[in-house]
Amino acid sequence: MENAAHQGLPASVLEFRLPDLGEGLTDAELVSWTVAVGDTVELNQAIADVETAKAIVSLPSPFAGRVVELLAQPGDTVAVGAPLIRIRAEEAASETGRTSVLVGYGPEAEGTSRRRPPAQSGVSRTESTDSQPEEPGLSRADDADSVAEEPQRQSDLALGAMRAAATPAARKLARELGLDLWFIAGSGPGGAVTVDDVRGAVPVSQPRVATLPTVADAGPVRPSVREERTPISGIRKRTAAAMLTSARTIPQASTFVTVDCTASVELLDHLRGTKSFANLTLTPLPLVAQAALAALADFPGMNACWDEAAQEIVTKHYVNLGIAVATERGLLVPNIKEAQTLSLRDLTREIGWLADTARAGGATPAELRGGTFTITNVGVFGVDAGVPLVNPGEAAILCLGSIRQRPWVVRDEIAVRWVTTLGVSFDHRMVDGELAARFLATVAGFLEDPLTLLSRV
């Protein structure tokens, strides 16, 4: 931020520039404004959402005053240091002794992931998944002079300050339909408004709007042209860049194994009925994750990265386990810090919470950075196997296929068993085929006989 007087503006008009968000990135995409020209803002009030490193981050106002000009539009890519907004300041942040705080950043955000305390096992988190500062309240709605001048604007400002939690896709659809998220009940994690909520919304108390059409009312959408063009932005743009880097810089290979995991399926069925897993959704993924973590302890070369500048292979003796999550915004890979320290119960809780948070748009940059090994589960889509690309900065990625009942030879007889296919893609610069095969066979062995896995933890 800086005084804009040198640009011919009054000395009281301050300019807020996109700050360095601490990720080594040079730009961010403006997702939405939460203020408009003429609005009064308070110190640390959320004024805009930007997307960077696949996370939505709320920018707080570094000073209090009235918005004079918005210098970027939603969808614009803004360089770090470029001006975002001009505010006629009432009280600069430097004069108050308070500092603005970027939500999702700072010392706390750079540590481990936001792990739920064990006492809250099976209970939904109460934090907002919308990543925003403490609600500033309605104090300015009581300013008599302002209300007298602009009663409707002050009313809208008061409601807008208490911004409803919503997924980015829901916000975009609501803007297109002219709906106010404040009047829509959310059914997502933490009460976040989802796309389905917006589509079925019928605002009953929103002023100045008698009836608003919903998507269902509009009838079938018929394209006016034979082709449709969608701007490459946000997560799609960043995913494309990461995958292009992966394909260009990493010589990749893959190997597969088919596994009789009947014993694992039976174990999971048993654990679901126990007190320890009450209120938890136990799927095969946490057990596969625990098997992978145990195998990484035996084969640490699979948990490494290639340092091109130093010409060194960096082997990591901790696992920040990435879990690929399909969201409405695209593919996200948040990771569980120090996953090797967790029990099966803790992994179940963390994976479930991390996936729900990512789908709701609440994953922080800290949770999306620093992964060392990734698991992707294509089986949830009914797919038997896949060949995923290795994430840059990692050595390998494990792929879990669907678990189906199939004919299988057991002690020279055909039997119906639960069977799945595991695959691993790896960076052939630092992982040889033998190492990858032995790692994968070990994971398969744990799933064939999960009691040997549980005996190690």
Side-chain angles (χ1 to χ4, degrees):
M1 58 185 163
E2 62 179 39
N3 192 309
H6 68 281
Q7 300 181 21
L9 298 173
S12 61
V13 175
L14 301 180
E15 195 170 75
F16 178 39
R17 297 171 178 267
L18 180 66
D20 182 352
L21 299 177
E23 300 176 32
L25 299 176
T26 59
D27 58 43
E29 181 180 333
L30 178 64
V31 176
S32 63
W33 287 107
T34 59
V35 296
V37 173
D39 283 356
T40 299
V41 297
E42 299 183 4
L43 179 68
N44 282 332
Q45 176 182 332
I47 58 175
D49 287 343
V50 297
E51 181 176 324
T52 180
K54 300 184 178 180
I56 297 291
V57 179
S58 289
L59 296 179
S61 176
F63 33 73
R66 191 177 296 274
V67 178
V68 175
E69 187 177 2
L70 303 179
L71 302 174
Q73 298 299 318
D76 289 351
T77 297
V78 182
V80 170
L84 276 175
I85 189 173
R86 290 175 182 152
I87 297 177
R88 187 181 302 279
E90 295 178 356
E91 183 179 19
S94 59
E95 297 172 356
T96 67
R98 298 167 63 192
T99 57
S100 59
V101 179
L102 281 179
V103 179
Y105 288 85
E108 183 176 352
E110 293 300 326
T112 58
S113 61
R114 301 170 292 168
R115 207 171 269 171
R116 287 189 295 183
Q120 296 181 355
S121 174
V123 181
S124 299
R125 290 181 65 92
T126 58
E127 294 117 308
S128 168
T129 57
D130 204 34
S131 296
Q132 60 183 18
E134 182 178 349
E135 295 173 353
L138 308 181
S139 59
R140 292 204 175 267
D142 297 327
D143 186 307
D145 294 336
S146 297
V147 172
E149 292 177 7
E150 304 172 88
Q152 187 58 60
R153 191 191 67 78
Q154 287 294 335
S155 175
D156 291 346
L157 175 62
L159 289 176
M162 300 174 64
R163 182 161 152 260
T167 65
R171 291 188 185 283
K172 179 179 179 182
L173 181 58
R175 285 196 301 270
E176 293 173 350
L177 297 177
L179 299 177
D180 190 335
L181 290 170
W182 180 256
F183 299 94
I184 301 175
S187 62
V193 178
T194 67
V195 168
D196 289 339
D197 296 331
V198 174
R199 287 173 176 163
V202 179
V204 295
S205 57
Q206 187 173 359
R208 302 189 303 276
V209 178
T211 59
L212 290 175
T214 64
V215 172
D217 297 330
V221 177
R222 300 184 183 279
S224 58
V225 295
R226 295 178 63 189
E227 296 180 351
E228 179 182 355
R229 291 179 176 267
T230 302
I232 301 172
S233 61
I235 284 183
R236 179 57 55 197
K237 181 177 181 180
R238 300 184 187 282
T239 300
M243 293 300 95
L244 190 60
T245 297
S246 176
R248 283 179 172 175
T249 63
I250 301 176
Q252 307 193 37
S254 301
T255 188
F256 302 88
V257 64
T258 303
V259 187
D260 175 2
C261 57
T262 303
S264 288
V265 171
E266 293 172 349
L267 174 63
L268 293 173
D269 285 342
H270 170 73
L271 291 176
R272 290 187 189 103
T274 64
K275 184 178 179 180
S276 294
F277 288 87
N279 300 320
L280 293 178
T281 301
L282 180 58
T283 69
L285 184 57
L287 187 62
V288 173
Q290 191 168 58
L293 291 167
L296 288 174
D298 293 341
F299 303 100
M302 299 292 291
N303 189 48
C305 70
W306 182 274
D307 189 332
E308 182 66 30
Q311 286 294 290
E312 294 175 338
I313 295 174
V314 183
T315 302
K316 302 176 181 180
H317 299 291
Y318 61 92
V319 184
N320 292 344
L321 183 65
I323 303 295
V325 180
T327 76
E328 292 177 345
R329 296 165 52 221
L331 181 67
L332 294 178
V333 189
N335 61 82
I336 302 170
K337 311 298 184 187
E338 303 289 341
Q340 80 284 354
T341 66
L342 301 182
S343 66
L344 178 61
R345 178 174 174 271
D346 292 334
L347 277 173
T348 301
R349 185 180 68 247
E350 287 301 310
I351 290 173
W353 173 77
L354 205 63
D356 288 344
T357 303
R359 293 188 187 103
T364 67
E367 290 160 349
L368 293 163
R369 294 198 309 266
T372 66
F373 184 89
T374 297
I375 298 177
T376 181
N377 181 10
V378 300
V380 295
F381 306 111
V383 176
D384 292 334
V387 185
L389 293 180
V390 179
N391 287 325
E394 300 180 14
I397 179 171
L398 179 68
C399 182
L400 170 64
S402 61
I403 299 176
R404 305 177 186 273
Q405 285 188 309
R406 302 178 185 174
W408 195 259
V409 177
V410 180
R411 290 186 289 274
D412 297 328
E413 294 183 358
I414 299 294
V416 176
R417 308 288 284 182
W418 290 100
V419 177
T420 190
T421 298
L422 299 174
V424 63
S425 296
F426 53 94
D427 185 337
H428 220 324
R429 293 175 299 179
M430 49 183 156
V431 176
D432 294 331
E434 178 188 5
L435 175 59
R438 293 176 65 187
F439 164 81
L440 193 60
T442 299
V443 175
F446 286 141
L447 296 182
E448 289 175 344
D449 186 3
L451 295 182
T452 60
L453 171 62
L454 297 182
S455 67
R456 292 181 45 141
V457 297

